Amino acid sequence: MRGENWLLPGYEHITGRHADFSPGSADLPLIAETVASLHRPAPEGTRSFAERLRAISAWARLRADPPADLLEWQRERLDLFAEMEREAIKEVDGDALVHSDLHPLNFLISSKVHVIDWAWACRAAPWVDHELLALRLVIAGREPTPTERTAFAVSICGLWEYRSRRNPAPHWDALLRGARSWARRSVGLV
């Protein structure tokens, strides 16, 4: 709750287990149903997902100073990927409140599915959560399928490429592998 420079978080105790994203999991239909009904209009002043992507401009930064370990297929397409990133920034703009971090630990399953940890909530097109969820399913073992939102897949791959180099940590490995696989499939390289 915001007002007069105050921020008041609210908490509720929920008993449940984290979601299972593995292929064939019984949780997947419940999660899909929950995410399909998740979005509401974003409150005024909610930071936009487009602005987050624009502030990072990952492919533009990677193009300006290509890391030595950048994969060849990426290095060969730096100009294209920077252009696709600009396109994705326009595409994600919307008025829905999106979670933008839907991974297994942010779902609690009890008698219903609860979406928790809204620390990265932002304003965007509702499909952003669906696409980011698809990437998390790839990370959990699902075969990547090309997305119609190719520019978005490429942009998210750039985001993880950039972040994994800026702040190296073990948790980036799976995100990076999944994002690379999803982007390669989406641009027709697999």
Side-chain angles (χ1 to χ4, degrees), residues 1 29 31 37-39 51 60 67 89 95 97 103 132 144 168:
M1 177 184 300
I31 291 165
S37 64
L38 189 63
H39 302 103
E51 189 52 43
I89 289 168
D95 294 323
L97 181 66
H103 59 75
L132 291 172

Side-chain angles (χ1 to χ4, degrees), residues 142-155:
R142 182 177 171 194
E143 187 67 27
T145 55
T147 176
E148 292 178 13
R149 308 215 186 261
T150 304
F152 183 73
V154 166
S155 178

Side-chain angles (χ1 to χ4, degrees), residues 83-154:
E83 178 59 35
M84 292 176 84
E85 179 176 64
R86 287 189 295 275
E87 182 183 323
I89 289 168
K90 293 175 193 169
E91 289 178 355
V92 300
D93 199 24
D95 294 323
L97 181 66
V98 299
H99 188 281
S100 84
D101 194 26
L102 296 174
H103 59 75
L105 299 178
N106 284 340
F107 288 94
L108 284 180
I109 312 284
S110 61
S111 59
K112 65 179 193 170
V113 178
H114 303 272
V115 181
I116 62 170
D117 188 2
W118 285 78
W120 291 101
C122 54
R123 180 178 45 82
W127 59 260
V128 167
D129 271 340
H130 299 274
E131 293 292 327
L132 291 172
L133 179 60
L135 172 57
R136 294 297 184 152
L137 294 174
V138 169
I139 292 165
R142 182 177 171 194
E143 187 67 27
T145 55
T147 176
E148 292 178 13
R149 308 215 186 261
T150 304
F152 183 73
V154 166

Side-chain angles (χ1 to χ4, degrees), residues 25 27 30 34 49 57 72 95 107 134 137 141 151 161 171 175 186:
S25 166
D27 292 349
L30 302 171
T34 299
F49 190 74
S57 293
E72 185 177 338
D95 294 323
F107 288 94
L137 294 174
E161 292 287 350
H171 74 277
L175 286 167
S186 295

Side-chain angles (χ1 to χ4, degrees), residues 22-71:
S22 63
S25 166
D27 292 349
L28 297 179
L30 302 171
I31 291 165
E33 183 180 317
T34 299
V35 173
S37 64
L38 189 63
H39 302 103
R40 305 289 184 268
E44 189 175 326
T46 303
R47 184 168 185 205
S48 79
F49 190 74
E51 189 52 43
R52 279 179 31 199
L53 290 179
R54 185 179 294 109
I56 295 170
S57 293
W59 283 115
R61 291 175 191 242
L62 292 167
R63 181 179 64 177
D65 186 17
D69 64 342
L70 197 61
L71 299 176

Side-chain angles (χ1 to χ4, degrees), residues 159-170:
L159 178 70
W160 297 135
E161 292 287 350
Y162 178 74
R163 284 186 169 171
S164 69
R165 288 170 175 82
R166 186 163 181 202
N167 298 310

